[in-house]
Amino acid sequence: MINTHVTIQSMVLEKLKNMPLKFNFWLQILFILVFALVLFGPIVNLLIWTVTEVWYFPHALPSQWGFKYWHQVFNPYSNVSSSLFTSIIIAILTVCVCLLVSVPAGYALSKRSMPFRVFWMLLFLIPQAFPNLTVYMNIARLFYEFGLNGTLLGVVLVHSIHGLMFSVWISVAAFSTTDPMLERASRNLGAGPIYTFFHIILPQAAPGIIASCIFVFLESLDEFTGTFFVGAPDISTLPLLLYSASMEGNYQIASITALILLVPSILFMLIINKFMSPEMLSKLGK
Amino acid sequence: MTQLKIENLHAGYGSKMILNDFNLEINQGEMIALLGPSGCGKTTLLNALCGFVPASHGEIYVGDRVITKLPAEKRNITMVFQSYALWPHLTVAQNIGYGLKVRKVKTAEIQDRVNELLVIVKLEGLQNEKVTSLSGGQRQRVALARALAIRPDVLVLDEPLSNLDAKVRLNVRHEIKSLQKQLGFTSLIVTHDQEEALVMADRIAVLNQGKIEQLGTPEEIYRTPSSAFVANFMGAENHIEWQNDDNTLPAKSAQQIYFRSESVQVTVPSEKASSLSNDVHFDSDLTCQGHVLQSAFFGHHYRISVRCGAHTIQADHHSDLPENTPVTLRVTADALHIYNNQVETAAHHVPTSFQSNK
Ligand SMILES: Nc1ncnc2c1ncn2[C@@H]1O[C@H](COP(=O)(O)OP(=O)(O)OP(=O)(O)O)[C@@H](O)[C@H]1O
Ligand SMILES: [Mg+2]
């Protein structure tokens, strides 16, 4: 009798011990599911739309699947391919413009002795301080006077204004972390300031500058508002196309475009992961 | 033949002058050690020579070339930096050959010179390593080879050994010295380690607050330090202020007596301790009686602290002495460095053999 008593007691104990664990376990599962739904729900929806040919409203799933719209998108004469091309050209040019400004500016501003240092640094932040719309509307008005509206150059400039904030600030950080003694050692061995800059200082700052380029590239690829005000309707980039496609209710084209926009982000994420050590990235903030 | 000449040099940071009216001449093939406490301006002097700190007044000559106003890259004075300042994105060979590449020397020639230097500094086979994978001692050698590659007129070294551990430091110290003898370069080496200066230098300049206190051969500096500061800095850690009780003197004068702990002869008297007074006597020799405060093992001797009246004296002794042992200390006249507070009046009390020490 004592024996059974003990077994019952131990069973109860066991149950009590397992219960909170099981409860926790199910709670966790639920939490993860909800989280995944919130996070991936829209993406799953988007993925489904890319392979939909016919989908009527009350149905949970499309009634006709297929790759018809993919063919349409990757048709060399479709406006998706041409927009993709325009987008990439603009992004590359934007990176070039930002580099041209941010490398010298970043180097100059990394010197503590630079007069009005803080003022210059803040200058590149100012466009971000105002609501986007106001800034871009005014830029569009200004560009109109110079005949820049609707030109590739105009759009590149608008993207650069946005991108410069990243590139200048990150470049300043990158140059600030270079050891001034390395520069001295180079001068000491007979190299002039320009030779020293290209052979010693720039290689030290390169990881940060590459990171800033990637940011600028991605930002430019995703940029909508500025392009809309300055470029539309003559210049069509992927985000603009996405916008008009969804306005027209062409969700297939919009979804595929969105998917295409995702590719460079993931690609660069992998590059950053592969080529940049966390220490390097952590230095950026200093 | 004078290779480097610094004349009335004034240099500093902004309005803060660190070097005031600095003068120094270095002969061809000579190694001079700049010795001085932290913050006395050693690095500032090297930076002024290399063109990193502007000279506000005075001239610097290399041979008969005036370099005072030249930019850093035109001076042909190379520096071995305290932090080495090697370029992490370049290999060992690229670091060493950099100065030659800048001078547009042909690639094959650069390679020959780099290989030659790798042999000299004993880094054969490491030419393709990244400098970040080298040990401290190896980095030091790369820095040295890099500075020597362009055959500079003058080589300056800023505490080249301070980042190395004790054993490696001894090795590298000897290597730098023998390299200097072998290659015959003119050099100026900064250190705050007196032993390093004694071993390596042909002449030593002891610096204090941006001024040379004494310039001389290691023997001169060690044996006949010209001031209390030099004596103290060169390891004469015992200091006694001897108050002159000679009433015939016009003013009360004190003599500053310095001596090393190893020049103190320690004897343990056989009489009872009570018969000893705690006192210091200075005639031409210095004698003191006192009690042992503590004793520390220093390897080949014990360093004992002895309380003599108001003074605590450090002395080296071959064996350990328990606390409170009564001892008699004696320092012979030739081991004392004596300086006067009032140089004119107290002169007659100094034994004639010390007149030159003032
Ligand atoms: N960049 C600078 N700006 C202003 N003052 C400086 C600067 N560098 C050094 N000093 C000052 O100049 C003085 C001499 O400095 P220096 O670096 O020449 O000393 P040091 O003899 O090399 O000392 P250590 O043995 O510690 O290296 C110090 O008082 C220091 O505070
Ligand atoms: Mg220093």
Side-chain angles (χ1 to χ4, degrees):
Chain A
M1 206 198 79
I2 293 171
N3 212 348
T4 47
H5 184 78
V6 169
T7 34
I8 287 171
Q9 210 180 27
S10 68
M11 266 170 68
V12 169
L13 263 178
E14 199 89 316
K15 257 221 156 92
L16 274 176
K17 240 198 268 169
N18 280 354
M19 235 187 34
L21 188 122
K22 275 200 177 140
F23 183 67
N24 263 349
F25 178 76
W26 286 114
L27 197 72
Q28 271 179 22
I29 291 285
L30 191 74
F31 183 75
I32 290 172
L33 277 178
V34 168
F35 189 70
L37 205 71
V38 169
L39 199 68
F40 294 112
I43 295 180
V44 169
N45 192 41
L46 186 146
L47 285 177
I48 292 176
W49 266 115
T50 61
V51 287
T52 296
E53 285 185 7
V54 183
W55 192 353
Y56 292 113
F57 166 61
H59 299 278
L61 286 173
S63 45
Q64 212 177 320
W65 305 75
F67 286 94
K68 188 175 104 190
Y69 288 93
W70 282 91
H71 291 297
Q72 207 172 329
V73 163
F74 284 101
N75 178 336
Y77 303 106
S78 85
N79 38 14
V80 175
S81 329
S82 75
S83 298
L84 177 64
F85 186 67
T86 317
S87 273
I88 289 176
I89 292 285
I90 289 175
I92 291 173
L93 288 177
T94 305
V95 167
C96 292
V97 171
C98 284
L99 270 182
L100 279 179
V101 177
S102 68
V103 168
Y107 178 58
L109 291 174
S110 72
K111 301 274 173 212
R112 302 248 159 235
S113 53
M114 176 90 184
F116 310 118
R117 186 168 172 266
V118 178
F119 167 78
W120 290 113
M121 301 264 305
L122 286 178
L123 189 71
F124 291 103
L125 269 188
I126 285 174
Q128 315 299 319
F130 295 100
N132 263 349
L133 228 54
T134 2
V135 174
Y136 290 133
M137 261 163 63
N138 281 298
I139 288 175
R141 208 178 55 81
L142 204 71
F143 277 13
Y144 189 73
E145 281 170 25
F146 293 104
L148 285 168
N149 270 11
T151 64
L152 204 65
L153 180 67
V155 176
V156 167
L157 286 181
V158 158
H159 286 195
S160 301
I161 289 170
H162 180 69
L164 274 176
M165 175 191 68
F166 295 103
S167 62
V168 168
W169 277 69
I170 298 177
S171 300
V172 170
F175 281 115
S176 306
T177 51
T178 60
D179 181 358
M181 283 301 151
L182 299 184
E183 192 179 340
R184 276 196 180 181
S186 167
R187 300 291 300 276
N188 186 243
L189 286 166
I194 294 169
Y195 190 97
T196 302
F197 180 79
F198 284 106
H199 287 81
I200 302 297
I201 302 169
L202 203 53
Q204 303 301 316
I209 288 170
I210 291 171
S212 82
C213 287
I214 290 175
F215 276 122
V216 169
F217 188 89
L218 293 180
E219 282 292 320
S220 165
L221 223 50
D222 278 350
E223 216 284 336
F224 174 77
T225 328
T227 326
F228 184 77
F229 278 102
V230 173
D234 308 274
I235 304 287
S236 169
T237 60
L238 276 188
L240 283 191
L241 188 79
L242 200 150
Y243 175 73
S244 51
S246 31
M247 282 295 114
E248 288 159 12
N250 194 341
Y251 293 122
Q252 286 90 336
I253 299 286
S255 303
I256 294 172
T257 315
L259 214 59
I260 294 172
L261 276 176
L262 206 65
V263 172
S265 304
I266 293 175
L267 214 68
F268 281 126
M269 210 77 91
L270 292 177
I271 291 179
I272 290 183
N273 225 2
K274 183 137 200 275
F275 291 105
M276 275 184 237
S277 60
E279 302 92 68
M280 251 179 223
L281 290 178
S282 75
K283 271 188 187 167
L284 295 182
K286 278 183 202 158
Chain B
M1 194 193 119
T2 306
Q3 175 76 349
L4 178 74
K5 186 169 167 192
I6 306 166
E7 227 176 49
N8 309 328
L9 183 70
H10 292 247
Y13 306 91
S15 60
K16 185 167 121 198
M17 280 294 128
I18 306 298
L19 302 172
N20 284 304
D21 203 16
F22 192 93
N23 290 284
L24 182 65
E25 280 186 32
I26 307 182
N27 296 325
Q28 171 78 48
E30 191 182 27
M31 181 177 248
I32 289 205
L34 285 174
L35 190 58
S38 197
C40 71
K42 305 181 295 284
T43 302
T44 307
L45 175 65
L46 298 195
N47 283 339
L49 292 181
C50 291
F52 302 131
V53 170
S56 53
H57 185 73
E59 298 289 358
I60 304 168
Y61 302 89
V62 169
D64 41 18
R65 204 159 61 100
V66 182
I67 61 158
T68 325
K69 293 278 180 301
L70 288 182
E73 61 267 26
K74 300 245 166 68
R75 297 198 172 202
N76 215 27
I77 296 180
T78 57
M79 167 119 93
V80 173
F81 293 83
Q82 188 168 3
S83 57
Y84 311 146
L86 299 177
W87 300 298
H89 62 293
L90 300 180
T91 62
V92 169
Q94 285 169 329
N95 264 280
I96 297 176
Y98 186 85
L100 299 170
K101 197 174 151 214
V102 170
R103 284 167 174 72
K104 302 205 169 63
V105 176
K106 287 194 202 75
T107 318
E109 227 170 291
I110 294 179
Q111 209 158 9
D112 288 347
R113 178 83 177 129
V114 168
N115 288 335
E116 185 187 325
L117 280 158
L118 284 168
V119 174
I120 290 178
V121 298
K122 304 203 180 79
L123 287 175
E124 301 103 316
L126 292 180
Q127 57 266 41
N128 295 323
E129 295 285 316
K130 276 258 145 81
V131 290
T132 42
S133 64
L134 299 183
S135 73
Q138 289 171 329
R139 287 179 198 206
Q140 172 64 65
R141 288 153 206 259
V142 175
L144 189 62
R146 181 178 74 175
L148 287 174
I150 62 164
R151 300 179 210 275
D153 293 326
V154 180
L155 177 74
V156 301
L157 306 103
D158 193 359
E159 306 201 18
L161 309 176
S162 62
N163 284 333
L164 302 176
D165 64 62
K167 187 136 190 300
V168 181
R169 189 183 303 182
L170 286 185
N171 279 338
V172 179
R173 181 208 273 177
H174 283 290
E175 275 164 23
I176 292 180
K177 182 63 198 165
S178 61
L179 261 187
Q180 193 257 333
K181 281 210 174 117
Q182 177 194 336
L183 305 177
F185 51 83
T186 308
S187 57
L188 191 57
I189 181 169
V190 161
T191 168
H192 51 228
D193 181 314
Q194 51 131 327
E195 196 179 296
E196 221 164 87
L198 290 174
V199 171
M200 296 177 80
D202 298 313
R203 281 191 297 159
I204 296 176
V206 181
L207 258 66
N208 184 20
Q209 297 183 342
K211 280 219 153 61
I212 294 188
E213 283 269 335
Q214 188 178 3
L215 176 67
T217 62
E219 287 89 351
E220 280 167 10
I221 300 274
Y222 191 84
R223 299 229 170 90
T224 55
S226 66
S227 67
F229 175 84
V230 178
N232 196 11
F233 200 79
M234 293 309 293
E237 66 265 71
N238 289 307
H239 170 218
I240 286 176
E241 193 173 76
W242 180 251
Q243 208 68 45
N244 202 325
D245 40 4
D246 187 345
N247 292 328
T248 61
L249 287 174
K252 205 173 111 178
S253 66
Q255 285 177 307
Q256 311 296 334
I257 305 175
Y258 286 86
F259 52 95
R260 291 168 209 286
S261 57
E262 65 256 33
S263 59
V264 181
Q265 299 155 14
V266 182
T267 46
V268 183
S270 47
E271 311 101 279
K272 279 271 166 279
S274 55
S275 69
L276 284 173
S277 58
N278 277 349
D279 212 357
V280 178
H281 292 285
F282 172 53
D283 192 353
S284 71
D285 289 2
L286 185 84
T287 48
C288 329
Q289 292 173 327
H291 293 85
V292 174
L293 275 182
Q294 62 178 36
S295 140
F297 184 53
F298 260 57
H300 81 295
H301 64 262
Y302 288 84
R303 170 78 39 99
I304 56 176
S305 306
V306 180
R307 187 95 201 140
C308 298
H311 302 287
T312 304
I313 293 171
Q314 310 291 328
D316 290 356
H317 191 50
H318 56 83
S319 63
D320 198 6
L321 290 175
E323 213 176 300
N324 268 328
T325 316
V327 287
T328 306
L329 307 178
R330 169 178 292 273
V331 190
T332 54
D334 59 324
L336 295 175
H337 307 297
I338 302 167
Y339 310 94
N340 303 311
N341 270 1
Q342 285 154 307
V343 181
E344 311 300 335
T345 53
H348 83 271
H349 205 98
V350 184
T352 44
S353 62
F354 298 131
Q355 294 284 351
S356 61
N357 284 358
K358 277 199 318 270

